[in-house]
Amino acid sequence: MRVATKKLLVMVGLLLICISFVGCGSSNDITGTWIYVESKSSDDGMHFYDDGTCVNVYKNHTSADATNWKIQEDGMLILKMEWDGNASFERVDKKEEALENRKLYYLSGNTLIFSVC
């Protein structure tokens, strides 16, 4: 095999590997424990589970806790509340927008921002 062909095959292989890593990560997944900024204890965190259930969400913000969560294909975060119906949040790309508007949320890496009062 010629050197140019080998280099091309290696480059295509590396490109496919990179694409597969990007494809495996989900930017719409909030599964896990999210700790409130003011707290150092995971006991105070919000827990979102793979099966769509959640605990400790809105504990201090409303009389009803969220029991289930879902992120729709359009990025909308829907929380099913114990008795207050659903709460929905539109996804934004800037933290500042989510901090200023309670109907929006921001999710990137290890940062999740949303609020209900």
Side-chain angles (χ1 to χ4, degrees):
M1 225 195 273
R2 294 189 336 223
V3 173
T5 306
K6 285 182 182 179
K7 285 183 179 180
L8 180 62
L9 288 174
V10 168
M11 288 177 57
V12 169
L14 290 174
L15 180 62
L16 290 174
I17 290 171
C18 290
I19 291 171
S20 68
F21 282 128
V22 171
C24 291
S26 174
S27 61
N28 283 341
D29 191 13
I30 61 173
T31 302
T33 298
W34 296 89
I35 306 300
Y36 296 105
V37 174
E38 299 85 18
S39 175
K40 303 249 190 279
S41 169
S42 63
D43 295 338
D44 295 332
M46 298 179 291
H47 306 281
F48 294 88
Y49 300 105
D50 288 331
D51 64 358
T53 59
C54 53
V55 295
N56 291 339
V57 179
Y58 298 151
K59 188 173 184 181
N60 297 322
H61 299 288
T62 182
S63 60
D65 287 348
T67 59
N68 295 82
W69 69 275
K70 174 182 170 183
I71 296 182
Q72 300 179 150
E73 286 184 30
D74 63 358
M76 185 74 69
L77 170 61
I78 307 293
L79 297 175
K80 180 181 177 188
M81 307 303 286
E82 283 177 313
W83 54 76
D84 289 343
N86 290 342
S88 57
F89 306 87
E90 183 180 338
R91 186 170 183 166
V92 293
D93 294 328
K94 295 181 181 177
K95 293 178 188 181
E96 295 77 19
E97 290 181 65
L99 290 168
E100 293 172 6
N101 188 331
R102 293 183 179 133
K103 296 181 180 185
L104 304 175
Y105 80 100
Y106 171 85
L107 174 64
S108 180
N110 65 353
T111 303
L112 172 64
I113 299 172
F114 71 94
S115 176
V116 171
C117 292

